[in-house]
Every structure is written in C-alpha cells, then in structure tokens.
C-alpha cells in the first residue's frame, strides 16, 4: 500500500527520513536494492557526501509516496521504493545518476515478478551510469572530502579567517529554534561541521536528552520554534555569515536563505526574543529584528501573550531648557511653564566612580555634557520610570535630543558614557539601544574618552576664597585681567556665586558689585527677604553652570571677589536690577564705573513696577540732591580736570545715543587703512572662500561680510542664533553691529590680520555730562541729531575721563565751527533739548564746575523755550 509523506531529511545516498503528512510520525526508509557510501565520524567513504547531497537536492522537502517492500530484522530497517511528485521512481533515479550502486543480493529477498523486473531495469541503468562515469563511478575524482567534525579548536582564529564572508553551507540538524548544526563548505574538498547560534535572537529551549540519557522537558514554545526552523531549513542549502563567538566558544552568525532571514520570521511569529548581546555584531540589521519583535508584542503572539502594550502619553514628550548638569547621565530640565525636572539619560551610565579606570573621567564627561547642553533648548522623550528603591529615588529615564542629535549617543561615541545591559523584561530603555551599543564598541576600539590608554591628569582645585590671604594673592592678578573666562559652579543667592576659572584651576566666591540683592534664606528656619527667592531663581536660571566673563574690582571681608559678571556680554547685575530683583548701591556702582547703566536699569524697573518696585510711587520718593553728601567716615576719591585733545571719528552710535564707538585718528587708523586694503584683497581670492566650520562661538574673532557693501571686515561674535544660523557680529574696527549668516563668516586665523597685530580700532565712548532720554521718540530724535552733527566728520574730543572698563568720556568739538572751549557739541545738544544734565553727577564730572555751569544754563534755555525733551515740561519728573 502506497503511503504519502514528506521527506524531512536524507541520511545518505540511499536512506531518507519521512514524516507523515497526517500524523506527523517519522519513519526511516532505505531505498530497496541499492547501497550508497556512508558518512562516518571517523571519516566519510569516497563519494559519501556527493551521493547524499545529490539525493538531498532531489527529495528534501518534497511530498512523496512510498511502499515498503521488505524489512531487515537485524537492523530493524524497512526497505522500499519512493515515487517523486513528478512520478519518477527514486530508486531508478539514484542508479541512473550514479548516486548509489545496485546491491549484490538485489532481488534475492523477494520472488515477486515485479521485483525481478525492477532489478533487471536497475542493472541496465547501473551499466549505463558506469559507462558514463557518473557519480560514484567517476574515474577523474577520488570522491574523498575532508570533513572536520569537531568544532574549531581556535574559535577566535577561525572567526578571523572567515568573518563577514558568505559561506555556502547545509543545515545538518536543528538543535533548537536558535541553535543549528551546520556543515560549512569551505572548499570543494574541505568541509567544517559546527554548531551555529542565530545572531540577534534567543528562542525557548526545546526538549533534550542530558548526559545521563534522561529527557529534559523544553520551555514553552521550544518545540514549536524548533519545528518552525526544521520545516524551512533542515538540510537546505544556505549562506552562513559568521559574526562572532559566544563565551562558550560557539559560532554566532546569520543564515541567508532566498526567502529571507529566518531569525526575523521567528520573531514575527513570537517564537523568539531579541538578544541584546548580539546587537553590536549585527549593527543596523538589528533594527529589523527589533521591528519584527515589536510586531509580535503588539499582536500578543505566543511568547508575548501576556505582554502589556505601553500606552503612549503625549505629556511624555516636551520641549525644555537644560538648567543644570548633575553628571554625565543626569540632567535638570525646565519646561515652558518653568517647572524643573530631574531626568536620567536612557540606557547609559556615566564613568563609574567605583572603577579606577573610569572614575578619573567623571569630571571631563560632565564638562563635555555641560558645554553641549547648558541653557540649550532640547526635546525630551520620557522612555520609562525606575521606581524608588533603597537608597534611590524614583527616576525618569529619557531620550534627549539637541539639534536632532541624540545626546546619549553623542556621549557614548565620545567615550564618556557606557551602555547599560538591561534585564530581558526591562523595556524602559533607549529606542536606539542597538545604535548605542555599536557606538560603545567603536569608542572602545578607538580608545576614546574613558577607554583611553592614559587617564587625564587631574590636580586639586584651589579654593581662592578659602582665606583672606589666598584671596589677596589672586586679587591683583585678576584685577589686571579683563573679562576673565569662568564657569558658574553654584548660585548661593541672587548676587553671590561660586565660579570656576578653568585656566587657573581655581574656584572662588564672586559677588556682584554695584547692587544690593535681597537676602535668601540659608536653611528652613530662616526667612528670605522679599524677592530674595525670586532673585535666586532668576540668577540660577540665567547663570547656573553657564560660561561667563568676570571683571574683578575688589574683595570683601570674607574673601569674596567683587566685580561685574557678563553672560553673552550682558551684565548680570543689570539684568537683576531691570527685573526688580535688586537695587543700585550708589557708592559701589559709581566706583565700578557702571552707575549710569545700573541707575537706568533701576528706573526702568521702577517705571514698569517690577519685582521689589511693584508698589513704587514716585510721589513718595523725596527729591534727590544734585550732589549726594559724602560719608564722613570715608575718604572720597578726588578727580582733576584733564586736557587731552584727540582727533576722532564717530564710527557708530548705539542705544539711545549714550553709547558711541569711535576711532582715534593717528597711526592706528593709518595702519587700519593699510590692513583693510590687504584684507579685502585676501578675501577676494577664490582660494580663501572657506566659511567657518560649524556654529561660531561667542567671543570668537572672525572675518564677516558686511551686508551694505559686500566687503569683508574683522569682527567679534556677540551672539549666536542656531535656529536661523546667524551670528550677531560686532565689527571691531568700526563699532557697528549686524546679524550675519554663518555662510558669510570666515575664520580669522591669519596672523597678519589678528588683533595682536592691530587691535580693534573702535573704542567705547560716551558724551560727558549728558543724560539721553529713554523714551523711544525722543531717543530717536537724539540719535538723528548726533548723526547730523558727527557723520563723516573728523572731530576733536577732550577725553575728560577714562572709566575702569576702558570707556572714554568725551566732550566733542567740531573744528569747523567750535571757536572756543564753551562751544562744544555737548552744549549744542543740551541747548537744542536732545539731552539733559543728570541730577546725580558722576564723581569725575564734579571736577568740571565751569562746564557743568555752562551746560545748566543751556538746559534752562531749552526748558524755557520747550525745545526737544522739554516740549511738555520736565519729562523726567520725580524719577531723578
């Protein structure tokens, strides 16, 4: 009786393993009357592999019919005939093709006529195959193939020889869903048998027999995963790509098949999980496996039948500003509502404090992250939460991106963070975990960051404010420097900071001069002064961990350094006063040289009723005296009149006309003309058309193309707008400012054009004795009048005073119409009502009583005639 079955595998050129299409039962059947060479562990017989391979290609995976003709009891083996789907008798085919030979006892075990007929036919076919030298009858080939049945003794060496190569192979046996025995066809005469682990997946264990012969049950879905692989790969021709070696010395690789990657199909069916530890071997291909696994999870297939699909929450994705960097894997961010949140970067860890090879890189890693992120707008996506445990608070794990760059990936690429190996059930991980792992591997190989051969040299930071003696030793040095680069390490109160000067490896206490800030409570038992907490919060948002510049003027009684702090060239003290979180301390403000700026900021806060001035009433404030009484206990600094006349040109007018940029005519301007001629020629050459690489840095000297004439000038970066890809450039030789696209900015690296060769010719200046209006209309009138009086003219200026910050206080004269010292442009501006004399004179201005008296008379005439700002009376009212 003919039975239908599917050929599961072929053991040799004459023996098949059949699987019932109905019951699934398996049966070993040898082809009747024929014999093929045997595959043996101690060494294959000649043509054994070729014989079996030919039968494998003919029969494996096909549905056939078979009939058992006889049984050999001693071997418990059935012999019979098999009919292929196309109707061919497989016994006849193997003899015709020289796959097997006819047995000597063929036909002697059965006397049926049909068998005699078959045997006779087989003899004829064998004779034809022998004469044609087919298969086992070949005379040109000895039929011997060396097959190494033991796994390579040097697994790493074997991998090096064959890694990433597509090797022809045959799947000999399926051990489990992710583990197969394969024969690698390395050369025509050399084969290698080994166990291959499928890269990227982990399948459930299937049923197995242990060393004692006992059956060990498999895991759930283990048998199904094994059968899934057997059905598709067992004894199929495949391409194997070796990728790595397991800790147990077994090869890890992929199996290529015309239908695709079998690992992906297993994952789609929910019969395997992704294996993290193979991620770096697969690289980008791991993403395909992750997607397949995600699909099975979504559909709750097999292994994932109990999986709970994480619901998406729109509140878990938001824009924020990085307010503080705690370490290389922990940040504080502030959302648009001003709420601060602590987050941990998903799947990465800062250099371990407990690891001697990593701990020296902690500070370097934190500084790397601070420079990249502090104060920057980022996108935050919460990936999950870690519940609070002993010693640890609840933590939110997040992916942070800046300019479309994943920050965790940037850290790992630079060798400043390692990748966390998550537990199998841990899904609160980075969505690009595989990319992170690959980047870590590259960083380790290239010895970046904490994988470097040598640890960074570190020295203990000097606490410059620790004692008065230390503070005094640094004072004179810092006073000589201007705009010393520093980093705000901590904000103690609105006006008191801890700052680090990296160049000196020193940390000091820094106090903002010229202002008085409300006191902040230092512990729960204390109470802050009104607006003390608001001042602290404002300074923290503005300054915490930011790059700043400091000008040191003095020290206080406890070793704190007093001075001015700048962020992006803006005074922090001025910002506090403008927001109403500080008031001006007149004496120290005048001493610092920033009194006008600070008093103007305070008046602005008062008029806006901001902060501490929320209930300000000008009518209740007593009229201040022109000259404030001096403190009898303090010795007031004395000033003398100066006669220091210079030829100048007004290069630019800023603000409300109170800030000027001037050039002093002389050797400097002559040198500038010569330099600019060469400078323009240099930048006209195509070879020098090299825009700056990446975003320019604040404070950097550059060459910039001026929008009005298309010429190139020396400049300095004041602000950078990464969104618009523009930078605010101050042209250092002419004083004007404009926003310039990055593509029109070039590096100023040529020594012949550097500021060391010729310093910027535009100098800060202001007109002595004058206070310009803040109101928009009057301020614009003052600017237009000043432009009318000074544009395209060479003027004469007396430098009445030079402020500590270098600002020149000037009295201007037009040599074409000023015939005496009283006929100054300062007086003309006051007479026409474009400015007034301030009620509170600066100390140096009191040294010019004749000039002040003259200007007051001019002002009285302007008031009487209601010119300019006096159009409707006194515009300053009680504010002054």
């Amino acid at each position: 009786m003919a039975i239908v079955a599917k050929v599961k595998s072929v053991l040799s050129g004459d023996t098949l393993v059949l699987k019932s299409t109905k019951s699934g039962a398996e049966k070993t059947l040898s082809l009747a009357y024929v014999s093929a060479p045997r595959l043996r562990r101690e060494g294959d017989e000649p043509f054994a592999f070729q014989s079996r391979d030919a039968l494998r290609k003919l029969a494996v995976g096909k549905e056939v019919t078979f009939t058992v003709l006889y049984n050999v009891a001693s071997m418990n083996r059935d012999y019979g005939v098999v009919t292929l789907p196309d109707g061919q008798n497989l016994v006849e085919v193997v003899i015709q093709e020289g796959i097997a030979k006819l047995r000597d006892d063929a036909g002697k075990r059965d006397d049926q006529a049909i068998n005699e007929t078959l045997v006779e036919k087989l003899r004829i076919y064998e004779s034809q195959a022998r004469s044609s030298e087919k298969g086992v009858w070949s005379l040109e080939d000895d039929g011997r193939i060396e097959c190494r049945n033991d796994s390579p003794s040097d697994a790493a060496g074997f991998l090096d020889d064959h890694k990433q190569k597509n090797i022809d192979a045959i799947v000999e046996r399926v051990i489990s869903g992710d583990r197969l025995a394969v024969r690698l066809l390395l050369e025509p005469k050399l084969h290698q048998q080994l166990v291959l682990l499928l890269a990227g997946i982990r399948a459930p264990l299937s049923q197995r027999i242990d060393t004692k012969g006992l059956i060990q049950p498999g895991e759930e879905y283990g048998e199904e995963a094994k059968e899934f692989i057997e059905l598709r790969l067992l004894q199929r021709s495949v391409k194997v790509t070796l990728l790595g070696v397991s800790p147990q010395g077994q090869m890890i690789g992929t199996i290529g098949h015309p239908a695709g990657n079998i690992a992906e199909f297993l994952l789609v069916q929910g019969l395997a999980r992704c294996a993290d530890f193979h991620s770096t071997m697969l690289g980008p291909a791991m993403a395909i496996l992750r997607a397949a696994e995600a699909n099975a999870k979504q559909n709750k297939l097999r292994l994932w039948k109990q999986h709970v699909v994480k619901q998406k929450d729109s509140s878990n994705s938001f824009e924020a500003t990085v307010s503080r960097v705690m370490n290389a894997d922990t940040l504080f961010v502030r959302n648009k509502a001003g709420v601060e949140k602590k987050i941990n970067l998903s799947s990465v860890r800062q250099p371990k404090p407990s690891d001697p090879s990593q701990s020296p890189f902690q500070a370097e890693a934190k500084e790397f992250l601070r420079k990249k992120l502090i104060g920057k707008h980022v996108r935050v996506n919460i990936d999950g939460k870690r519940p609070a445990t002993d010693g640890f608070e609840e933590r939110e794990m997040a992916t942070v991106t800046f300019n479309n760059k994943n920050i965790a990936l940037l850290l790992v690429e630079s060798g400043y963070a390692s990748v966390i190996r998550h537990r199998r059930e841990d899904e609160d991980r980075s969505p690009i975990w595989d990319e992170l792992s690959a980047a870590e591997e590259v960083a380790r190989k290239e010895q970046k960051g904490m994988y470097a051969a040598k640890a960074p040299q570190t020295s203990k930071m000097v606490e410059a404010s620790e004692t008065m003696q230390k503070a005094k030793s640094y004072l004179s040095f810092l006073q000589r420097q201007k705009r010393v680069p520093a980093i705000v390490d901590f904000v103690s109160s609105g006006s008191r900071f801890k700052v680090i000067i990296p160049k000196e490896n020193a940390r000091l206490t820094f106090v903002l001069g010229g202002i008085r800030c409300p006191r902040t409570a230092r512990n729960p038992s204390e109470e802050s002064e009104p607006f003390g907490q608001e001042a602290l919060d404002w300074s923290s948002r503005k300054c915490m961990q930011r790059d700043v510049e400091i000008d040191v003027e003095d020290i206080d009684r406890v070793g704190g350094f007093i001075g001015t702090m700048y962020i992006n060239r803006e005074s922090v003290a001025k910002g506090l006063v403008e927001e109403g979180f500080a008031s001006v301390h007149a004496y120290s403000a005048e001493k610092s040289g920033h009194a006008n700026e600070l008093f103007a900021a305070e008046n602005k806060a008062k008029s806006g009723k901001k902060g501490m001035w929320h209930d300000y009433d000008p009518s209740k404030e007593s009229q201040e005296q022109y000259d404030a009484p001096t403190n009898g206990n303090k010795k007031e600094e004395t000033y003398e009149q100066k006669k220091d006349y210079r030829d100048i040109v007004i290069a630019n007018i800023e603000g409300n006309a109170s800030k000027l940029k001037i050039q002093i005519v002389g050797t400097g301007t002559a040198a500038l003309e010569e330099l600019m001629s060469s400078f323009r020629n240099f930048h006209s050459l195509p070879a020098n058309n090299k825009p700056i690489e990446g975003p320019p840095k604040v404070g950097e000297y550059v060459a910039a193309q001026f929008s009005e004439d298309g010429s190139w000038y020396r400049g300095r970066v004041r602000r950078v707008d990464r969104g618009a890809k523009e930078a605010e450039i101050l042209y250092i030789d002419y004083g004007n400012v404009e926003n310039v696209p990055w593509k029109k900015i070039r590096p100023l690296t040529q020594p012949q054009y550097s500021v060391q060769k010729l310093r910027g010719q535009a100098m800060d200046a202001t007109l002595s004795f004058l206070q310009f209006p803040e109101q928009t209309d009057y301020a614009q009138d003052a600017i237009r009048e000043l432009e009318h009086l000074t544009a395209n003219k060479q003027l004469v200026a007396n430098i009445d005073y030079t402020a500590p910050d270098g600002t020149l206080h000037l009295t201007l004269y037009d040599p074409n119409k000023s015939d005496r010292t009283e006929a100054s442009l300062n007086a003309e501006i006051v007479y026409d009502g474009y400015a007034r004399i301030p009620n509170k004179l600066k100390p140096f201005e009191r040294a010019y009583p004749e000039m002040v008296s003259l200007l007051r008379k001019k002002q009285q005439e302007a008031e009487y005639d209601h010119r300019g700002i006096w159009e409707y009376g006194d515009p300053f009212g009680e504010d002054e």
Side-chain angles (χ1 to χ4, degrees), residues 177-178 197-205 219-222 225 262-279 282 286 288-297 301-308 422-427 429 434:
D178 59 2
L197 306 182
L198 287 180
I201 65 168
R202 168 72 171 83
L205 291 174
E219 297 174 343
E220 187 178 19
Y221 301 112
I262 193 66
E264 182 182 350
F265 290 111
L266 267 176
L267 290 167
V268 167
Q269 295 298 322
L271 291 171
R273 305 171 187 270
C274 284
D276 289 345
F277 48 88
H278 293 169
S279 176
L282 286 166
M286 192 70 188
I288 299 172
L289 302 186
R290 295 284 186 196
E293 183 185 61
N295 184 68
K297 288 179 179 179
L301 297 177
R302 297 178 177 86
L303 290 172
W304 308 109
K305 60 186 178 183
Q306 303 294 335
H307 179 69
V308 178
H422 295 277
R423 296 187 303 275
R424 188 175 72 178
E425 66 277 8
D426 185 2
E427 295 192 2
R429 60 171 67 191
D434 300 305

Side-chain angles (χ1 to χ4, degrees), residues 568-582:
N568 295 330
R569 299 180 63 85
E570 292 292 333
S571 167
V572 176
K574 177 188 173 186
L576 275 166
V577 174
E578 279 184 342
E579 295 298 324
F581 297 142

Side-chain angles (χ1 to χ4, degrees), residues 572-689:
V572 176
K574 177 188 173 186
L576 275 166
V577 174
E578 279 184 342
E579 295 298 324
F581 297 142
S583 57
V584 180
H585 185 270
Y587 174 77
S588 59
E590 290 187 356
K591 186 177 179 182
S592 71
H594 300 294
N596 277 358
E597 181 180 53
L598 293 176
F599 278 118
E602 186 176 73
N603 288 334
K604 186 176 179 181
K606 288 178 178 178
S607 61
K609 295 190 175 182
K610 291 184 176 182
M612 63 176 61
W613 310 109
H614 64 284
D615 56 357
Y616 173 71
D617 185 354
S619 64
K620 294 181 182 179
E621 189 174 83
S622 60
Q623 179 70 32
E624 295 185 26
Q625 299 299 316
Y626 286 159
D627 295 311
T630 60
N631 187 332
N633 296 325
K634 292 184 178 287
K635 184 177 180 181
E636 191 176 44
E637 191 173 356
T638 58
Y639 296 87
E640 295 181 356
Q641 289 190 17
K642 291 174 60 179
K643 289 187 178 181
D644 184 3
Y645 293 99
R646 306 285 183 92
D647 292 329
I648 69 146
V649 175
I650 303 293
N652 193 52
I653 301 171
E654 297 182 0
N656 63 341
S658 61
K659 294 181 180 180
L660 308 176
K661 291 286 187 179
I662 70 165
Q663 292 178 345
I664 297 178
V665 178
T667 56
T669 50
L672 178 63
E673 289 181 11
E674 183 180 342
L675 181 143
M676 288 308 303
S677 175
S678 171
F679 193 70
R680 293 190 182 101
N681 289 336
F682 176 85
H683 283 283
S684 66
L685 298 175
N688 298 322
N689 184 13

Side-chain angles (χ1 to χ4, degrees), residues 397-424:
M397 319 308 293
T399 295
V400 178
T401 54
F402 173 60
N403 286 345
N404 296 319
K405 181 70 175 178
N406 186 300
I407 295 303
L409 179 60
L410 192 63
L411 278 165
V412 173
E413 286 175 339
S414 304
Y416 289 129
S418 56
V419 181
I420 295 172
R421 269 53 187 175
H422 295 277
R423 296 187 303 275
R424 188 175 72 178

Side-chain angles (χ1 to χ4, degrees), residues 758-769:
L758 180 67
R759 66 175 179 82
Q761 293 299 295
M763 304 178 68
D764 291 323
T766 188
L767 296 184
S768 303
F769 316 109

Side-chain angles (χ1 to χ4, degrees), residues 269-506:
Q269 295 298 322
L271 291 171
R273 305 171 187 270
C274 284
D276 289 345
F277 48 88
H278 293 169
S279 176
T280 54
M281 301 177 192
L282 286 166
M286 192 70 188
I288 299 172
L289 302 186
R290 295 284 186 196
E293 183 185 61
N295 184 68
K297 288 179 179 179
Q298 190 72 28
N299 295 316
K300 297 187 176 183
L301 297 177
R302 297 178 177 86
L303 290 172
W304 308 109
K305 60 186 178 183
Q306 303 294 335
H307 179 69
V308 178
V309 179
K310 189 183 294 185
Q311 298 297 317
K312 291 186 177 180
D313 187 349
S314 59
S315 65
N316 283 340
S317 179
F318 55 91
E319 300 267 344
T321 302
V322 178
S323 55
R324 183 152 56 101
V325 175
M326 184 173 175
N327 54 48
D329 61 23
T330 307
L331 310 172
F332 286 85
V333 297
R334 185 179 291 107
N335 63 17
K336 292 180 179 179
V339 178
E340 193 171 65
K341 177 181 285 192
K342 180 181 177 181
I343 59 172
N344 289 76
L345 296 178
S346 295
S347 299
V348 297
R349 181 188 290 116
Q350 67 159 332
K352 295 179 183 177
S354 58
D355 188 336
S357 65
Q358 293 186 13
S359 58
F361 292 91
Q362 277 191 293
E364 193 173 313
K366 177 183 176 182
E367 178 63 8
F368 175 85
L369 195 58
R370 185 197 69 81
K371 285 183 176 179
K372 290 286 181 186
L373 289 189
I374 197 70
K376 301 295 193 302
H377 294 284
V378 297
R379 163 65 64 178
V380 178
N381 291 288
I382 303 298
D383 299 319
K385 291 184 179 180
R386 291 277 188 276
T389 56
D390 293 341
F392 294 96
E393 59 186 2
E394 182 184 72
R395 293 174 290 163
E396 287 190 306
M397 319 308 293
T399 295
V400 178
T401 54
F402 173 60
N403 286 345
N404 296 319
K405 181 70 175 178
N406 186 300
I407 295 303
L409 179 60
L410 192 63
L411 278 165
V412 173
E413 286 175 339
S414 304
Y416 289 129
S418 56
V419 181
I420 295 172
R421 269 53 187 175
H422 295 277
R423 296 187 303 275
R424 188 175 72 178
E425 66 277 8
D426 185 2
E427 295 192 2
D428 295 336
R429 60 171 67 191
S430 171
I432 62 162
W433 189 92
D434 300 305
E435 198 173 342
L436 292 173
S437 296
E440 182 182 42
E441 194 70 19
V442 172
R444 185 178 282 110
K445 287 180 180 177
E446 296 181 357
Q447 296 188 334
K448 290 185 176 180
M450 60 184 173
Y451 306 115
K454 284 187 177 182
Q457 292 184 349
T458 57
S459 56
K460 187 178 180 181
M461 189 165 291
V462 178
E463 298 292 342
S465 296
E466 187 175 21
T467 64
M468 278 296 292
Q469 184 178 358
K470 277 189 177 180
K472 287 178 180 179
S473 68
Y474 275 87
L475 178 62
S476 58
F477 161 73
L478 292 173
Q479 284 177 327
R480 290 194 300 271
Q481 305 293 315
K482 289 295 179 184
R483 302 287 178 99
V484 179
I487 300 166
V488 176
D489 190 44
F490 185 73
V491 181
S492 306
S493 67
S495 60
R496 200 171 188 88
F497 309 85
K498 282 285 187 181
V499 301
I500 294 172
I501 303 178
K503 191 176 179 181
E504 303 300 322
N505 195 35

